[in-house]
Amino acid sequence: MTEPYSRLVRPPAPKLFVRLRSTVRDQSTGPLTALVDTGADATIAPLSHLLEIGAEETAPGWLRGVMRERQPVRLYFVDIQIGNLTFPGVRVIGNPLTEDILLGRDVLNKLPLFLDSPQQQTDLLDEAAANRLRARR
């Protein structure tokens, strides 16, 4: 699966399309554009989408930003679908201030991704391609 970089941000950024599904109700939303954020520990989703699908809220948590400031956040469990892959019960941060999804390393570390910045495209590799690259090490 190949996706062009998002040109809605400067500089253009890698993106994938995701679906968010409630872990407790049979409701989902998407496909939605998610920016690939390799610097983020966790995935952040718009609170409006989480409320729309009836996502299960968990205990509150804390978010520490790049400037090390700490702020309280609301956490939710969702299933995240990317292409034909589903990641069940991912704990995401509900953000009431944005409509952007940031896909963090909690999900990215489970994906064989190739971020081809010169070509400005994101490739989600199939198992055969990922294994070929792994064998080159």
Side-chain angles (χ1 to χ4, degrees):
M1 178 173 83
T2 300
E3 297 295 340
Y5 274 25
S6 172
R7 296 184 186 280
L8 298 177
V9 293
R10 283 278 177 237
K15 72 171 189 227
L16 293 170
F17 287 101
V18 303
R19 289 185 182 277
L20 303 176
R21 177 173 293 282
S22 171
T23 58
V24 293
R25 295 162 86 188
D26 190 25
Q27 293 188 359
S28 64
T29 187
L32 304 166
T33 301
L35 294 176
V36 172
D37 189 345
T38 61
D41 296 336
T43 295
I44 300 174
L47 183 59
S48 60
H49 292 313
L50 299 171
L51 296 176
E52 175 185 330
I53 64 171
E56 177 186 6
E57 188 170 0
T58 71
W62 294 93
L63 172 71
R64 193 174 303 272
V66 296
M67 302 301 287
R68 307 299 295 160
E69 72 280 3
R70 188 173 178 229
Q71 63 187 51
V73 293
R74 293 167 65 181
L75 301 172
Y76 296 83
F77 283 121
V78 295
D79 297 340
I80 297 178
Q81 182 179 356
I82 303 169
N84 62 355
L85 301 172
T86 299
F87 303 98
V90 177
R91 191 169 63 176
V92 300
I93 297 167
N95 186 343
L97 304 176
T98 185
E99 288 300 306
D100 294 326
I101 297 174
L102 297 180
L103 207 54
R105 289 191 325 272
D106 57 338
V107 173
L108 297 175
N109 284 350
K110 300 172 185 174
L111 297 171
L113 284 180
F114 175 49
L115 304 180
D116 189 353
S117 294
Q119 295 299 312
Q120 294 195 350
Q121 66 185 32
T122 305
D123 290 292
L124 181 56
L125 304 177
D126 61 31
E127 197 61 31
N131 285 336
R132 279 194 308 276
L133 288 173
R134 291 176 186 131
R136 293 174 47 189
R137 286 192 234 165

